[in-house]
Amino acid sequence: MDAAREKKVVDAVPTGLFIGGKWRAGATGATFNVEDPSTGEAICTVADGTPADATAALDAACAAQAEWAATAPRDRGEILRRTFQLMNDRADDLALLMTLEMGKPLAEARGEVTYGAEFLRWFSEEAVRIDGRWSTNPSGAGRLLTMKQPVGPCLLITPWNFPIAMGTRKIGPAVAAGCTMVVKPAQQTPLSMLMLAEIMTEAGLPAGVLNVVTTTKASDVTGPLFDDARLRKVSFTGSTPIGKKLMEQASKHLLRVSMELGGNAPYLVFADADLDAAVDQAVIAKMRNIGESCVAANRFHVHESVADEFAERLAQKLGSMKVGRGTEPGVEVGPLIDATQRAKVAELVEDAVGKGAKVLTGGEQVGDRGYFYAPTVLSGISDDATLLREEIFGPVAPVKTFAGEEEAITAANDSEFGLVAYVFTSDVKRSLRVVEALEVGMVGLNRGLVSNPAAEFGGVKESGFGREGGREGIDEYLSTKYVAVDL
Ligand code: NAP
């Protein structure tokens, strides 16, 4: 990849805070480095926001709220639609930027730009479908009117693994509903969000509707917003422990809350499954985003009659994937986000191997520059292996066997998480029985990918609550007002 082109794309990013429609330095003038995880080197610096900056961002959001709520839904939709178009026009640059700050291979970054932009197209269409209800009181006396109104200023906190899509999944419905917002992107991947703010401004988003505060002190900087009664909602995507902490903070002013948290997805392969499809889809479910996805297959539960063949074929596929810097041609597996994440993945593998697992491929870090880890398949996993309980967030596939359907369901549900499960079977009755019994918010049935802007994404149990995308996505940003009407 051309270093001059990388520099040009990075240099085009505004690196200040975006508050009230203006780019500016943080209150102290401090900045922090954004690193390329494939080299560990800094690619640029961005403003390190303070609590005072966050409050200024909320001031701007509150100042814009009433006028924004009163804009025509069609106008809000058109801004989203123009942003969708601009993102697609600039997809190559946005994808390169994302690869540089996050590490995922360029083709996947390109895929995320498309996926992220699609949330804006979807919600541009939903903006004009916000409706209410008019009904007759069951007694016949009077009428019942319900209307939907924007909840008000929102705080949107996003993680580093999908730097654009986790943002547009919140920004799209917030804009469509008529809410203003303060966005706090992950400190490791702020550049994609900063670029998006610039593009939305170009698309006509009025000043103050979207404000972006980058910072290295997430807790200190967002804390005052939770203490401020003007904030009406928090939508968070990230880890379950931080989600719980934010729920406590949100209780102070009883904020509307949406939580998209961690996962521990089981991938069930029954004896009657199409094994070719199960193996091919396993590669997607496991390796998309280098395994750093909340919906990544975390543990493979495979019927004992096909488990050896499944594991060997999966190992053959993962073992032949090209690992390297995401900008290089043909690379399918980029680096993990940082040294800490790689050490955690290595520790989980060591723990499983120490408890009897066999390494079919991988099981080691790659190179001495950047944070690469080899795609890994493990078989013979013992019940007490830690990676069955924890989110791996890396390219490691543990394969465990089961003997019967009940045992598979029990194993799948044996987790505090409940985001997604994958089920492979060609028996229609079994598929519906198993889908019904799984304690999750989403199921991939003979498919290794569920993410789709037109579908309601979200979990149950400690994977959180609230839905992003689909018909329900906009409801997270709307309040219902009921009017008792006397005719
Ligand atoms: P994280 O550590 O929870 O951080 C997520 C975001 O929260 C970041 O912007 C982070 O800022 C911020 N943050 C951290 N501590 C905070 C605090 N005390 N107060 C306010 N903000 C705080 O999660 P992550 O490691 O970035 O992301 C990985 C996790 O996200 C995984 O568990 C994954 O499953 C989950 N995830 C879930 C979904 C879903 O839809 N269910 C989607 C994607 C990811 P800093 O960057 O400054 O730490």
Side-chain angles (χ1 to χ4, degrees), residues 1-7 10 34-43 96-107 290 322-336 366 369-373:
M1 174 59 68
D2 177 352
R5 179 159 139 63
E6 288 179 15
K7 182 172 181 326
V10 172
V34 181
E35 257 192 23
D36 175 347
S38 71
T39 61
E41 285 166 15
I43 49 179
L96 177 55
L97 193 61
M98 195 190 300
T99 292
L100 292 175
E101 66 176 345
M102 188 275 167
K104 70 181 74 182
L106 260 184
I290 322 153
K322 186 171 173 190
V323 180
R325 190 168 192 245
T327 52
E328 301 302 328
V331 163
E332 297 163 284
V333 187
L336 294 172
V366 177
R369 194 160 180 255
Y371 313 117
F372 298 94
Y373 195 86

Side-chain angles (χ1 to χ4, degrees), residues 157-161 166 169 184-187 218-219 222 236-239 242 245-246 260-263 294 391 393 419 457:
I157 304 179
T158 58
W160 49 263
N161 61 342
M166 297 303 97
R169 226 160 66 157
K184 208 300 284 169
Q187 64 176 291
S219 179
T222 57
F236 172 72
T237 299
S239 60
I242 301 293
K245 186 167 177 271
L246 297 182
E260 297 285 353
L261 308 177
C294 54
E391 204 176 20
F393 243 53
L419 190 57
F457 189 105

Side-chain angles (χ1 to χ4, degrees), residues 255-274:
L255 300 183
R256 284 279 296 273
V257 178
S258 306
M259 288 281 153
E260 297 285 353
L261 308 177
N264 178 1
Y267 189 104
L268 307 182
V269 183
F270 289 91
D272 54 32
D274 172 344

Side-chain angles (χ1 to χ4, degrees), residues 64-65 67-84 119-128 130 149-154 156 167-183 193 196-197 200-201 203-206 208-211 233 473-478:
Q65 180 58 66
E67 197 178 332
W68 180 238
T71 53
R74 177 70 75 200
D75 292 345
R76 299 198 300 268
E78 288 298 324
I79 291 167
L80 291 174
R81 177 71 203 206
R82 280 197 293 277
T83 311
F84 160 79
F119 280 103
L120 304 185
R121 175 153 72 168
W122 175 263
F123 285 107
S124 76
E125 293 157 349
E126 292 295 282
V128 294
I130 299 166
Q149 294 178 308
V151 297
C154 305
L156 313 179
T168 55
R169 226 160 66 157
K170 301 181 191 304
I171 294 168
V175 166
C179 296
T180 60
M181 64 211 84
V182 177
V183 180
M193 181 58 67
L196 179 65
M200 293 198 83
T201 306
L205 192 71
V209 174
L210 169 75
N211 305 277
K233 177 181 172 76
I474 197 165
D475 292 341
E476 303 283 318
Y477 296 87
L478 293 169

